[in-house]
Amino acid sequence: MAIDPLTLTIIWNRLTTIAEEAGNTLRKTAYSPGIRDAEDCAFAMFDAETRMMAEAIYTPGQSASMPFALRHALDVYPASSLEPGDGIVVNDPYLGNGHLNDIYVLLPVFFNGELVAYTGCCGHHSDVGGAAPGSQAVQGVYDLYSEGMIIPPVMFYRRRQLVTDVAELIAANTRIHDYTLGDLKAQYNACTVAERGLIRLLEEVGVDAWGACLEEMLRRTEAEMREAIEALPDGQYEYEGFLDDYEEGSPALRVKATLTIAGSYLAVDYAGSDGYVPAAINCPYNLTYSYTLYALKAVLAPSLPANEGIRRPIRVVAPEGSIFNPPFPAPCAARAILVPRMIDVVMGALSQVTPGRALAAASHFDNTMMGGRDLKTGRPFVNFQMISAGFPARPYCDGEEALPLGYNTGNVPIEIDEAVDPVVIDRFEFIPDSAGAGKFRGGLGIRKDIRLLAGPLRLSNNADRHRFPAWGLYGAGAGTVGRILLNPDGEARPLHSKGVYTVDSGEVVSVQVGGAGGWGDPLERAPKAVLEDVLDGVVSETAAHSEYGVVIVDGRLDETGTAALREQMARAKRGANA
Amino acid sequence: MRIAIDVGGTFTDFAWEVDGKIRTGKVPTTHPEPSDAVFKGLDEFLADRLQEAPWLIHASTLASNTAIERTGAETAVLTTRGFRDVLLIGRQKRYDVYDVSLRRPKSLVPRRRILEVDERTAADGSVRKPVAADQVLEAARELEQLGVQSLAICFLNSYANAEHEEQARSLVGEAAPSMYVTTSADVAPQWREYERFSTTVLNAYLGPTLSRYLSSLAAGLKDRGFTGQVLVMQSSGGVAPAETMERYPVRLLESGPAAGVLMAGRLSRQLGVVNALSFDMGGTTAKLGLVRDGIVNVTDTFEIAQVDLKPRSGLPVMVPSVDVIEIGAGGGSIARPNRGLIEVGPRSAGADPGPACYGRGGLEPTVTDADLVLGYLNSDYFAGGLLRLDRDGAKQAIMSRLGDPLDMTLVEAAWSIHRLVNMNMATAAKAASIARGIDVRDFALLAFGGAGPIHAARIAEELGIGRVVVPRAAGVGSAVGLLGADVRFDLVRTMRCPLSESEAGNIERAYAELEQVAQTLLHGMASDGETIYRRSADLRYIGQGFEVATDVPSGPTTAAVLKEIEGNFHSTYERIYGQADRGRAVEGTNWRLAAIRPTEVRARHESRTIPPGGGASYSREAYLPEVGDFTMVEVHSRFSLQPGFEGRGPAIVEEDDCTTVIPANWTFTVDEDENLVLSFEADTHGN
């Protein structure tokens, strides 16, 4: 069936609209702050062959992993056994998205009695049981079983009826059973919103036109992805970095990516990366695949729709037993910690072939969680902090302030945190002189101090780049390292980036996230831009002098002094390099 | 007598009503002093009658232009120590997940102008640390010395207790009496610090500019003998005294679009249509608004100065605003191939160079070019004949940039542009209505703006809407809308509490206090009639993070009323999201009050005489795929169609500033108010 540009445009747009509508419904009806406020969720649709057709753009990893989750679910419930209104639920990290908190709900779509598509969504649930509130402790967990409840693919709705036994079993295994069930129902409901949208579309255009458009969409997306790869010189490009450690005293973990470009084919291989570890930071392959794809797409084809077509020319390899492909049941709750490391090294490798496009290294997020009992309400609570800091510098401009790279979870308003949980936030501010210096500087680091009004509480940290800062590229400086201090204004006690502690009412947890890496020689930065940063108090006069060679006197630029200082610094640098 | 003036980017429109007749006029807007055009128009149209008018109603794009073009006052912020960067950090989400080259819009206030003082209020309103008065005084003096004109006081948790902000306000008043001062709890007393601070900063940023403008307007009017009251249109679609609005200029940001939607509201009541979708399509964007039960839908948060109209790319504003969905679809929207698909908009050729057919150097095909090629527009009678359209230029642009690359004929390419821009608008309308739990199929589409009536019937078909209304003077619709604006002021209080009987007293107290504030604000209003207090609340299931706006019956808040509110919430929730959870406990977060003094204007447009040569009907070819290719279509002059006229599509109706296309399967009539009313004949379409 030949497809004209108008019909193709109409159907393609409609598929995206349907996914967005369902995604919106999910976000607005969810209970977990991760889903409703932070948008740590995903919505996508697949054809009967499980090829991704369209997504609502929220958290790219969850949607990129969804085809794996769907295929595994169909291994348990073959397509022939499914009926309209069936909803399958799964959170097994090795089948889904790499940790138990991400629960998928998947629904078959029937048209004229035939299974024609699937709709599915994922949401980060605040708690799925296990050793620590929030179910994401890095330490003190031995294996996947100690992290929380494992849900293999099971039928959660059968012919539009809630399977109450399963629901009860799930609810009984979380600390916040009400919310968990509310969220799962919201997820199922969102799947049915898209189901109705797809059926309406099929009624309008017919199965044949729809099928032909789908083939054409995938073909074109694939062709464009291949074109983008083909434009790069063939060869192998490596980059490596390190994860601080996985517990106090443990060794740093090597993270290495090798990019192979051969014609219109691209492979990323994590060979050379360290083996999996006895802590919950191992990154199951699905998530390794998903965020590698994200980094490649963001640099090579940011505006291409994320359907099956972009996956075809790309291969992601992670040696079995490595931190990027651990064996079941290695613990993995906090595996998101490896995602920025992965994006950074893929960007580093890409920067060698696409110097005008790839980014420096980003600030690493801090995902600190505190849980216990709220004395005022008597209710158990989990306070979930997601602190993102600097976006890396780019070959064409500074990194943005306070924006994450890869994941896209926002913050929870301080006033809501304080109204709902027994905490008071003492500060939420940029850290001066924390950004990597460069022709373009990185985004700044951020400090957030959380004062506890209840105790004793269990605190679990989930952070990195406390030892290895975010690097700069092409002569730029790195960002600062981060740290977490208990009671910063008293006898400050440094906490480990992945430690689990008991803290008490009245104590203050000070999270200080380091800045992002710069791009290009700092001596080439426009002196005016350095002056602006000094006036805004984010770069000190001392740093302007020592890192940028810019002389500022009484809030004004000393142009002659700057020229002389820069020349002297450039000479010294050349001397050092000679 | 009433006078309404709408200052737009290009034209300043006038509408006035005398003895039951509405007249309209138009002059070019003047920059940088928009009041010049206002006075010019008044002198021209109403020179000796100004003293007769008790009210002059005013809308302008001054506030939004000031924010978008960043020409506001030198502004500073005073905030709680430790929170200097709340405004710069924002909600920390990228507005585009995959585009790593994206840029955040710059803050209106640079970091060096954000100063901290010691003070702290807790979430329950209790004081953790008193205001350090000396620090406030010192900051005020320092800022004054730096030439700062305007100050936003933004303290954490001030929504729960405004005391500290008020203390700081009076201290600043002592130290820097000429400073324009605005506080966050006064401007937007709701939780969510970033959104509240952002709103407050905008208020401060706009304050001096708007105050200056409103005073020069008042002075000029006084000189001309006007002794009445100036009422200003707010984003919420209600007017309020100019003096009050000098304090809340942020409420004027969407004043222009609000006036447009308001006209739709007025028209819908006049027509006896309870539900309507207003559709205003101009050169760059189309604006859609929802009117339910004759009432214009109002939303509590929106964004200004977005990047490519993308959500989260702009500055959040937490004040009530007419719910306008803006889409990058207008006559100037550019069509281009994008990976084999056809993309129409959001890029626009604007007014300069404009569409290719304007002959001003535009080379890219636009919606107007397609409309011309398809025979919908008359090349000799565009904008009343002011501009001759170049058909060959349009053809050339469509073929070279779209038809040839995608292997389509001229007609295929032109029709694709027309069809897709319609679809884009219909999709946006559908998404917006679904998100609000509204089924628009029984709505009427009210079309205005230069390009609206060409596309209206097709969009109606896409949406399953069977009735389209094109009012007289559709080109100056906003000014006409202003004439019928209600006096209105919206107030809110954040107070988190469950919908339980024990809270009934607190809830009633909150509403009573808001009513008192409203009375003070509307006191001295030269408006007749009773004030209506409409209550609503933002409710949610305990534990959720988003609220649903729910109607609340008028007081007193009894146990029975609480039950009713809860019932309203469940059914609203169900309508929007498909299913409600009736067993679950409900809580309220924001309690809202709209104080309204309704206005009824029952006036007709003054009849117009038929312009020379403009009255005759004739035929020309137009493309109507449901009939098959190009067909001879009858073209009527709008001025020749008298009330009671009945016709049948396909047909085209032309007037000075717009053209209405009536496809086959539609009939049309002219009603007593000279509205053109199009009806879809369902039986012939099989829909």
Side-chain angles (χ1 to χ4, degrees), chain A residues 536-561:
Chain A
D536 275 335
V538 294
V539 170
S540 64
E541 279 189 33
T542 320
H545 192 279
S546 62
E547 291 189 48
Y548 292 99
V550 170
V551 184
I552 291 163
V553 182
D554 295 333
R556 287 212 178 75
L557 198 61
D558 173 357
E559 290 186 28
T560 336

Side-chain angles (χ1 to χ4, degrees), chain B residues 234-287:
Chain B
Q234 308 167 76
S235 312
S236 65
V239 295
E243 311 83 73
T244 309
M245 295 329 292
E246 285 184 22
R247 184 165 157 189
Y248 303 111
V250 72
R251 291 185 180 231
L252 304 180
L253 276 171
E254 295 281 74
S255 157
V261 182
L262 207 67
M263 193 211 41
R266 173 173 169 272
L267 190 60
S268 73
R269 290 195 294 272
Q270 194 185 80
L271 290 164
V273 176
V274 287
N275 293 325
L277 189 61
S278 82
F279 167 54
D280 174 1
M281 184 177 179
T284 313
T285 63
K287 299 183 187 84

Side-chain angles (χ1 to χ4, degrees), chain A residues 31 36 39 55 189 224 294 388 394 401 404 406-408 411 414-415 418 425 428 430 532 536, chain B residues 82 85 90-94 97-98 100 102 104 111-112 120 157 193 196 312 339 543 577 584:
Chain A
Y31 292 83
R36 64 179 203 213
E39 293 181 18
E55 67 163 355
N189 181 46
E224 200 170 324
Y294 172 81
S388 305
R394 297 163 279 191
E401 302 302 355
Y407 67 103
N408 196 25
N411 57 41
I414 294 165
E415 291 178 343
E418 293 192 354
I425 310 300
F428 188 35
F430 293 132
E532 294 291 316
D536 275 335
Chain B
D85 295 317
R91 284 276 92 87
Q92 300 197 268
K93 291 180 74 77
R94 304 192 298 285
V97 167
Y98 292 109
V100 293
L102 88 175
R104 289 178 71 166
R111 191 173 194 264
R112 72 198 73 158
R120 190 66 148 90
N157 289 326
E193 68 283 351
R196 189 174 72 251
R312 291 198 211 102
R339 54 179 70 102
Y577 301 123
R584 200 182 275 267

Side-chain angles (χ1 to χ4, degrees), chain B residues 330-636:
Chain B
S333 292
I334 292 169
R336 59 171 191 147
N338 182 10
R339 54 179 70 102
L341 304 184
I342 307 158
E343 195 177 273
V344 185
R347 275 202 320 135
S348 169
D352 192 27
C357 62
Y358 281 16
R360 290 181 189 152
L363 294 174
E364 294 181 283
T366 66
V367 169
T368 299
D369 293 310
D371 290 343
L372 178 64
V373 166
L374 294 170
Y376 302 151
L377 285 172
N378 180 347
S379 51
D380 296 327
Y381 188 55
F382 183 72
L386 283 175
L387 189 65
R388 251 191 82 87
L389 301 182
D390 173 10
R391 185 181 298 268
D392 289 337
K395 284 183 184 169
Q396 165 80 24
I398 292 174
M399 280 317 287
S400 64
R401 300 291 176 106
L402 192 70
D404 290 339
L406 291 180
D407 197 20
M408 290 188 289
T409 65
L410 176 66
V411 175
E412 280 170 356
W415 175 249
S416 295
I417 297 173
H418 183 79
R419 173 90 205 274
L420 286 171
V421 79
N422 292 344
M423 264 200 64
N424 289 350
M425 292 185 277
T427 301
K430 215 182 273 182
S433 54
I434 288 169
R436 292 156 181 78
I438 296 166
D439 182 350
V440 293
R441 279 173 300 183
D442 65 339
F443 279 44
L445 189 72
L446 310 183
F448 48 102
I454 301 178
H455 295 264
R458 295 298 187 195
I459 292 170
E461 286 178 5
E462 295 274 357
L463 290 170
I465 288 177
R467 179 135 85 133
V468 173
V469 181
V470 182
R472 255 288 297 278
V476 290
S478 298
V480 176
L482 285 178
L483 282 179
D486 296 336
V487 172
R488 170 176 178 143
F489 209 83
D490 292 80
L491 296 165
V492 60
R493 163 156 315 165
T494 293
M495 177 178 81
R496 191 166 144 248
C497 71
L499 271 193
S500 63
E501 248 183 274
S502 56
E503 298 287 346
N506 285 331
I507 295 170
E508 182 56 32
R509 219 171 359 262
Y511 278 125
E513 281 168 23
L514 291 177
E515 281 180 20
Q516 215 147 39
V517 176
Q519 269 166 18
T520 319
L521 285 169
L522 295 179
H523 181 72
M525 274 287 316
S527 163
D528 39 14
E530 288 275 297
T531 304
I532 298 170
Y533 294 104
R534 197 183 297 147
R535 296 177 175 188
S536 64
D538 297 348
L539 305 180
R540 61 185 189 185
Y541 293 112
I542 292 177
Q544 282 184 318
F546 279 99
E547 297 88 3
V548 170
T550 309
D551 291 337
V552 172
S554 301
T557 312
T558 59
V561 166
L562 285 177
K563 274 276 157 264
E564 194 181 335
I565 302 172
E566 197 174 333
N568 288 351
F569 168 72
H570 290 306
S571 43
T572 311
Y573 194 92
E574 202 163 57
R575 200 186 69 217
I576 299 176
Y577 301 123
Q579 55 185 33
D581 205 343
R582 287 180 187 270
R584 200 182 275 267
V586 177
E587 68 177 354
T589 56
N590 295 317
W591 308 87
R592 297 176 184 278
L593 180 82
I596 301 170
R597 283 197 199 160
T599 304
E600 256 329 306
V601 178
R602 187 74 211 183
R604 299 241 171 103
H605 286 276
E606 192 174 43
S607 298
R608 265 189 70 161
T609 47
I610 296 165
S617 294
Y618 66 101
S619 292
R620 72 161 182 262
E621 283 204 311
Y623 181 73
L624 292 152
E626 68 274 24
V627 182
D629 219 315
F630 277 88
T631 319
M632 286 307 282
V633 174
E634 196 171 4
V635 183
H636 303 273

